[in-house]
Amino acid sequence: FPRSGNSFLRKFLEQCTGIATGSTMHLHTSTSLQVAGLKGEYIVDDRAWIVKTHHPVQMQLNLGFQTGKVVCCVRHPLDSFVSLANFINTMSHSASAEWDYPRDYPQWWDWMVRWAADSWAHYYEVLLKHCTKEGKAHIYFTRYEDLVNNARPELEGIMRYILDLESL
């Protein structure tokens, strides 16, 4: 789900492996990620080992691709919703708005949380349906909070999953 730490995880994986990750996001919507060093924007072919997508959320001009494995970075929904609100209001992956949403804009914040919660629920419903019920891909979950607090075991788990290894 957007703002759950997927770009953060991409940066970690690139730093650990030295291999560029790709993305389905169109170049016009991912300039800030390119500036931050993620060079594989709008690349989903074999030039990228790992490809970021917000599937099943689709935006116009996103690239499609097939995969057999999914790494899903999850984050506490309320933190994700605040991060999404900050992104919408600052157009920055790292900046925060100078106001308190619930206090300063209670009607907008109520709408935002309801919209984001509905979107979040639909996102995971479709993702889990595709990966479990329909068997389109295997899925591995990692938590953003765990990556921030103790990245090594999370990254080792991801790499074991990706490489089909019991141990690194």
Side-chain angles (χ1 to χ4, degrees):
F1 189 75
R3 309 306 300 155
S4 290
N6 49 48
S7 295
F8 179 78
L9 176 56
R10 281 180 69 198
K11 191 72 168 171
F12 251 142
L13 291 170
E14 287 189 5
Q15 289 173 338
C16 290
T17 66
I19 302 171
T21 60
S23 170
T24 63
M25 302 295 291
H26 194 272
L27 292 174
H28 296 155
T29 60
S30 61
T31 304
S32 63
L33 293 176
Q34 291 173 317
V35 170
L38 295 169
K39 297 176 180 75
E41 296 304 300
Y42 213 52
I43 294 174
V44 298
D45 57 27
D46 56 359
R47 291 176 288 168
W49 182 43
I50 295 168
V51 175
K52 168 198 161 179
T53 182
H54 288 298
H55 176 81
V57 174
Q58 291 298 320
M59 294 173 46
Q60 188 176 21
L61 303 175
N62 275 11
L63 295 172
F65 76 105
Q66 299 294 315
T67 186
K69 289 187 175 187
V70 172
V71 174
C72 184
C73 188
V74 297
R75 184 178 187 183
H76 190 289
L78 293 180
D79 293 335
S80 164
F81 300 169
V82 171
S83 181
L84 183 58
N86 282 325
F87 180 73
I88 289 168
N89 285 289
T90 66
M91 293 309 295
S92 168
H93 282 271
S94 57
S96 295
E98 296 178 7
W99 51 82
D100 179 270
Y101 297 109
R103 185 191 69 224
D104 298 335
Y105 298 98
Q107 285 183 297
W108 182 85
W109 183 243
D110 182 64
W111 168 85
M112 175 66 187
V113 169
R114 290 174 192 274
W115 171 82
D118 288 344
S119 298
W120 189 88
H122 178 70
Y123 173 87
Y124 285 104
E125 177 185 336
V126 173
L127 176 68
L128 291 173
K129 180 182 81 172
H130 287 174
C131 291
T132 58
K133 292 179 184 170
E134 296 174 1
K136 292 182 177 181
H138 297 278
I139 190 166
Y140 181 95
F141 287 93
T142 189
R143 288 179 357 118
Y144 170 79
E145 293 83 358
D146 294 336
L147 285 165
V148 170
N149 292 325
N150 191 8
R152 185 181 179 117
E154 293 302 309
L155 293 170
E156 286 178 357
I158 291 167
M159 296 306 289
R160 285 193 316 269
Y161 167 71
I162 291 171
L163 298 170
D164 286 322
L165 294 173
E166 288 292 320
S167 172
L168 296 178

